[in-house]
Amino acid sequence: MPIVNIDLIAGRSQAQLKALVEDVTTAVTKNTGAPAEHVHVILREMQPNRYGVAGVLKSDEK
């Protein structure tokens, strides 16, 4: 049972998230041979003020 965890910054539409889950599932089934019903995709969305790069919060970027 493949489990894929994806962390991303919040702000994508429901349609984008759905397409992401579908595409990831397709890639996993293609490359592992696991049936789609066994592929689990977990999306974890973070608020921009809860993620930083190089000491700068994403919410502070211009």
Side-chain angles (χ1 to χ4, degrees):
M1 170 178 68
I3 300 173
V4 180
N5 290 286
I6 301 174
D7 294 309
L8 47 110
I9 294 175
R12 288 158 184 87
S13 70
Q14 188 67 25
Q16 289 174 310
L17 296 173
K18 181 179 181 206
L20 176 60
V21 169
E22 290 172 355
D23 290 349
V24 168
T25 299
T26 298
V28 171
T29 59
K30 175 185 172 191
N31 290 288
T32 67
E37 59 270 15
H38 292 179
V39 177
H40 297 245
V41 180
I42 300 167
L43 303 177
R44 288 189 297 248
E45 293 185 294
M46 296 170 283
Q47 294 304 313
N49 66 344
R50 297 292 188 257
Y51 181 80
V53 176
V56 179
L57 290 171
K58 287 302 214 177
S59 59
D60 292 341
E61 288 184 342
K62 301 295 178 212

